[in-house]
Amino acid sequence: RPWAARQAGAHMPTLDEMRNMNWQAIASGANGLIGWWFAGIVRYLKGEAFDKAWADVKIAFGEVAEKIPLLLSVEPAPKVAKKPADISARTWRKDGVLWLLAVNRTYDPASGVIELEDGRKAGISLKGLGYQFVKVD
């Protein structure tokens, strides 16, 4: 058994957990992601469990792929100056539009105001493990 499977409460991440891990990493500054260990999923999950896990991996990483033009934009954007403790956040500008990614790092709902270094603010309300891209005016 893999190391993680020997740990109490270990499980294949749910779709919401995978999404959250991806977006938390990106909001915290990651400019690249390494996907799930396919060989491990094939080895340790069989039948419907494999089909479900692999479908979730494709969905979670497909959502990131859809945002690649924004995530790779080189247009300057103001940085996050202040945010609630339970929320990770990062900004990008694409085609002159400023976007804010907010990610709830907890299983509980989280909300608050995110302030940017240029003084702009965005109110955020997220479900547990939720994330949101917000256009900032």
Side-chain angles (χ1 to χ4, degrees):
R1 293 186 328 171
W3 178 85
R6 294 188 306 259
Q7 305 306 304
H11 66 276
M12 175 69 190
T14 65
L15 176 56
D16 282 343
E17 289 169 336
M18 278 188 270
R19 285 176 167 142
N20 186 271
M21 288 185 278
N22 285 346
W23 292 118
Q24 263 194 73
I26 291 167
S28 296
N31 291 318
L33 298 174
I34 297 175
W36 294 98
W37 180 40
F38 180 76
I41 295 172
V42 167
R43 181 174 176 190
Y44 297 110
L45 299 177
K46 304 296 180 205
E48 288 182 20
F50 169 83
D51 294 341
K52 171 74 170 110
W54 191 241
D56 287 351
V57 168
K58 292 190 300 185
I59 290 168
F61 282 87
E63 291 171 356
V64 173
E66 290 173 4
K67 295 290 188 186
I68 286 174
L70 175 63
L71 302 176
L72 296 182
S73 176
V74 296
E75 296 177 36
K79 296 192 183 312
V80 173
K82 190 175 178 183
K83 61 180 185 54
D86 292 338
I87 295 176
S88 295
R90 186 174 174 187
T91 60
W92 294 266
R93 187 183 308 276
K94 175 76 174 135
D95 300 326
V97 178
L98 180 61
W99 291 93
L100 167 71
L101 167 64
V103 185
N104 181 354
R105 300 183 334 215
T106 74
Y107 286 88
D108 298 318
S111 62
V113 175
I114 297 174
E115 297 180 28
L116 305 182
E117 64 184 5
D118 68 359
R120 287 188 264 188
K121 298 177 182 181
I124 299 295
S125 182
L126 299 166
K127 68 177 187 166
L129 298 181
Y131 73 93
Q132 182 179 16
F133 279 88
V134 178
K135 191 185 302 186
V136 181
D137 296 319

